[in-house]
Amino acid sequence: MNIKNRIEQIKASLPAHVELIAVSKTQPVERIREAMEAGQLAFGENKVQEMLPKQEVLPQAQWHMIGHLQTNKVKYIVPFIHLIHSVDSMKLLAEINKRAARINRVVPCLLQVHIAQEETKFGFSPDELRNILNGTEIHALQHVQIRGLMGMATFTPDQDQIRKEFKSLRKLFDILKESSLPKQVSMNILSMGMSHDYRIAIEEGSTMIRIGTAIFGERTA
Ligand SMILES: *Cc1c(COP(=O)(O)O)cnc(C)c1O
């Protein structure tokens, strides 16, 4: 099957409230163009230096930052980024706000939550998240719009483990959604699910899935 068929097949299987982000990391521009011909507009990259040249040739696509973002790279993506999924510190959020203010933009962001058992993954703990949302610091950030949460489950064949982790994120999302939040924070997007676990993620309430391999095939790089 080609890229176009795979996108069409995945899209046909998604509930209407779930948005597909095609994860194009390591893929050349020609393959991203192929995906765009299938009507796919949203692409996810995990490295700034890889996203920039792609964005330059394909500015009409919506670019999503899904990987760990260093503060010194924020300035390069703030002018065009559609959504930053991977905000994992207040320092990073403050830098995004500062750079966005300079060009009078409001940058949409998600807060990444650490739900996996693996230490290697980034993100806030649920307690840290609550402290930030209840804190005063966030009120000063007028140039970021926090639209929801992102999480990655443990890389494991244990489906129950994956489900448990997605369930915990969904629960946190729902609790926050019902609580009183600072005005630049809303809980509308729950970004969870990759090629091997997106079906479970959708069952557990995901509204945005990030799919690479199931669209483009195995990455060699
Ligand atoms: C690479 C990546 C994905 C996509 O992974 P696949 O298994 O290829 O679908 C999703 N989210 C993040 C954060 C990634 O780095």
Side-chain angles (χ1 to χ4, degrees), residues 156-169:
T156 169
D158 183 349
Q159 310 261 305
D160 293 338
Q161 177 68 26
I162 294 171
R163 187 177 295 280
K164 201 173 80 190
E165 291 172 3
F166 285 150
K167 217 183 257 304
S168 72
L169 187 57

Side-chain angles (χ1 to χ4, degrees), residues 15-188:
H17 66 275
V18 178
E19 188 183 351
L20 172 63
I21 311 303
V23 176
S24 52
K25 61 189 186 195
T26 78
Q27 303 298 333
V29 162
E30 304 82 77
R31 308 198 82 211
I32 302 175
R33 277 213 179 90
E34 225 177 300
M36 292 183 80
E37 278 160 23
Q40 182 64 30
L41 253 193
F43 294 92
E45 292 280 340
N46 65 342
K47 294 194 177 110
V48 170
Q49 67 270 29
E50 195 182 332
M51 182 187 280
L52 294 177
K54 291 176 177 176
Q55 190 274 335
E56 223 167 89
V57 288
L58 298 170
Q60 68 276 40
Q62 297 172 348
W63 294 98
H64 290 242
M65 183 65 201
I66 61 170
H68 180 63
L69 177 59
Q70 290 171 294
T71 48
N72 62 356
K73 305 250 172 77
V74 166
K75 58 179 177 286
Y76 302 115
I77 65 168
V78 151
F80 66 83
I81 199 75
H82 191 76
L83 180 65
I84 301 175
H85 294 228
S86 44
V87 174
D88 57 6
S89 73
M90 265 318 261
K91 183 170 161 248
L92 178 59
L93 193 63
E95 176 66 14
I96 296 167
N97 183 73
K98 181 176 123 189
R99 295 289 175 174
R102 286 192 191 175
I103 56 169
N104 205 23
R105 246 204 105 186
V106 175
V107 173
C109 297
L110 304 178
L111 299 176
Q112 183 171 354
V113 185
H114 190 281
I115 53 169
Q117 282 182 327
E118 297 150 306
E119 284 294 327
T120 50
K121 302 227 158 88
F122 292 98
F124 296 105
S125 71
D127 276 343
E128 286 170 333
L129 197 67
R130 277 186 280 266
N131 286 339
I132 284 167
L133 295 176
N134 291 327
T136 52
E137 213 183 325
I138 198 155
H139 293 272
L141 307 180
Q142 305 279 345
H143 289 270
V144 291
Q145 175 63 246
I146 294 162
R147 305 213 39 219
L149 306 178
M150 184 272 240
M152 290 169 85
T154 305
F155 187 73
T156 169
D158 183 349
Q159 310 261 305
D160 293 338
Q161 177 68 26
I162 294 171
R163 187 177 295 280
K164 201 173 80 190
E165 291 172 3
F166 285 150
K167 217 183 257 304
S168 72
L169 187 57
R170 162 68 186 276
K171 197 171 161 196
L172 182 61
F173 179 80
D174 282 345
I175 290 171
L176 293 175
K177 205 182 167 99
E178 295 307 314
S179 68
S180 85
L181 295 165
K183 75 171 184 340
Q184 53 275 79
V185 182
S186 61
M187 286 291 144
N188 297 311

Side-chain angles (χ1 to χ4, degrees), residues 23 25 46 66 150 152 194-196 210-213 219:
V23 176
K25 61 189 186 195
N46 65 342
I66 61 170
M150 184 272 240
M152 290 169 85
M194 305 167 45
S195 293
H196 69 282
R210 309 176 310 270
I211 307 293
T213 313
R219 283 179 294 274

